[in-house]
Every structure is written in C-alpha cells, then in structure tokens.
C-alpha cells in the first residue's frame, strides 16, 4: 500500500497490494465459479491484449443475477495484505484524510472503507437492480480514472477544509466584535 499525499491534508491510498498475488475480483470470481476465466482476462490485460473496460465487462457479466448480500457475505474472506490498518491509522494520526482509490468493485471498496476507517473510496461500480447485480457495469474505472477520481475527492476535501476554515475565522471575528474587539480587516 502506498500513500500519495495531496496538497495539504487529504491523502489518497491505493496501489494494487490489497490482495497480494491476485485481485479481489479473481477471489470473488472463484465464489461464482468463474475464477479461471477472469484470471486469464486479467493476465491478458496485464499483457496489453485486453483493455480494462473489456475485463470489467467480462467480470460484471459473471455477477448477473447474484444477490448483493451473497457478495458482501464473502468479503470477510478476502486474503488482504498487511499494513492497511497501520497505514490508515498513520494517516489519521498525522492529520491526513485517507481516501482509497481502487480498481476493485464498489462492494469491495465500501467494505474496505468501513473495515479500515478510510474517509471515502472511489472505484468501479457494477450495476444493481432490486438487490441483484445485472451483469453490466454502472461506472467504469481504470488506473487513470483511479488517479483522477482520487484527485477529485482530495480537491473536494480541500475545498471543504478551506470553507470550514473560513467559517471558523468568520465566527472568531464576529465574537471579537461582539466582545468589544477591533476591526475585522486584516
């Protein structure tokens, strides 16, 4: 896991080491009986033969008709790498806001965010209807989108921090005036 520190306090975390030696998609595909097919597709992606979008569509198709709770019930069994807890704790302790930018499906990103205390996550999302996966991709996300979306989340946090800072300064100035303080100009 690597920490990419953005401007100021927010930090984006990501990097393909959440499930060492494989991916969360391949592990979950194993529960759906599609492990070998998806592993071959991911190998073809790594070799530059398939695009991320093609692999995502193949993977999503294997989830068609599967209830969402069946997938969420399997997430405790993911063979996660070490250091996630420590990295997230370090970020919070050092005033950084940990954001997970991942190529794992949104059920995995949501699970990891809740389990390890990330502020938020961004990643691809399989389409669902009525509590079941449709077999289609609702939001594609590749290694470039991971970086861009992480930057957007970080930018949003920076804007929120600056707005909060402006509100606090305004309140302090207003209290100062009410207490007989001086001017609000700097």
């Amino acid at each position: 896991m690597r920490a990419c520190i953005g401007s100021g306090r927010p930090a984006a975390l990501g990097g393909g080491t959440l499930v060492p030696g494989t991916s969360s998609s391949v592990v979950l595909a194993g529960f759906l009986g599609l492990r070998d097919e998806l592993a071959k597709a991911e190998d073809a992606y790594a070799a530059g033969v398939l695009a991320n979008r093609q692999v995502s569509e193949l993977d999503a198709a294997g989830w068609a008709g599967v209830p969402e709770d069946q997938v969420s019930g399997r997430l405790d069994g993911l063979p996660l790498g070490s250091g996630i807890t420590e990295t997230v704790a370090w970020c919070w302790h050092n005033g950084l806001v940990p954001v997970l930018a991942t190529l794992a499906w949104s059920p995995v990103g949501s699970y990891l965010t809740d389990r390890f205390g990330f502020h938020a996550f961004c990643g691809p999302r399989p389409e669902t209807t009525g509590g079941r996966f449709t077999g289609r991709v609702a939001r594609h996300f590749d290694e470039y989108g991971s970086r861009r979306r992480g930057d957007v989340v970080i930018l949003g946090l920076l804007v929120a921090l600056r707005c909060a800072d402006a509100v606090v300064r305004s309140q302090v100035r207003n209290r100062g005036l009410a207490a007989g303080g001086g001017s609000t100009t700097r």
Side-chain angles (χ1 to χ4, degrees):
M1 166 117 357
R2 65 180 182 263
C4 303
I5 300 173
S7 302
R9 295 178 183 262
L13 302 178
T17 55
L18 296 173
V19 181
T22 187
S23 71
S24 59
S25 292
V26 170
V27 172
L28 292 172
F31 296 125
L32 302 173
L34 304 167
R35 185 185 196 296
D36 293 340
E37 184 179 0
L38 185 60
K40 287 177 188 172
E42 287 194 357
D43 288 345
Y45 166 71
V49 175
L50 290 178
N52 178 281
R53 185 179 199 95
Q54 292 170 296
V55 176
S56 294
E57 289 170 352
L58 173 74
D59 189 12
W63 291 39
V66 175
E68 289 180 82
D69 60 354
Q70 181 180 340
V71 171
S72 63
R74 300 289 188 170
L75 296 175
D76 282 332
L78 284 177
L80 299 172
S82 62
I84 301 170
T85 300
E86 296 82 359
T87 302
V88 172
W90 182 91
C91 286
W92 286 118
H93 179 76
N94 287 283
L96 300 172
V97 179
V99 175
L100 176 64
T102 180
L103 294 180
W105 289 116
S106 56
V108 176
S110 179
Y111 168 80
L112 294 172
T113 296
D114 293 344
R115 178 173 171 182
F116 293 106
F118 289 97
H119 171 74
F121 78 94
C122 48
R125 188 176 70 237
E127 184 181 82
T128 59
T129 300
R132 293 185 176 274
F133 295 101
T134 65
R136 293 184 297 273
V137 179
R139 180 179 60 219
H140 283 278
F141 205 74
D142 62 17
E143 62 275 20
Y144 306 107
S146 174
R147 168 71 188 226
R148 285 189 303 269
R149 179 65 181 138
D151 289 347
V152 167
V153 170
I154 288 170
L155 180 60
L157 288 168
L158 288 172
V159 168
L161 287 171
R162 287 194 175 107
C163 289
D165 183 50
V167 168
V168 169
R169 284 188 212 176
S170 174
Q171 290 173 346
V172 168
R173 281 193 301 253
N174 289 340
R175 274 189 241 129
L177 287 174
S183 166
T184 61
T185 60
R186 292 183 183 219

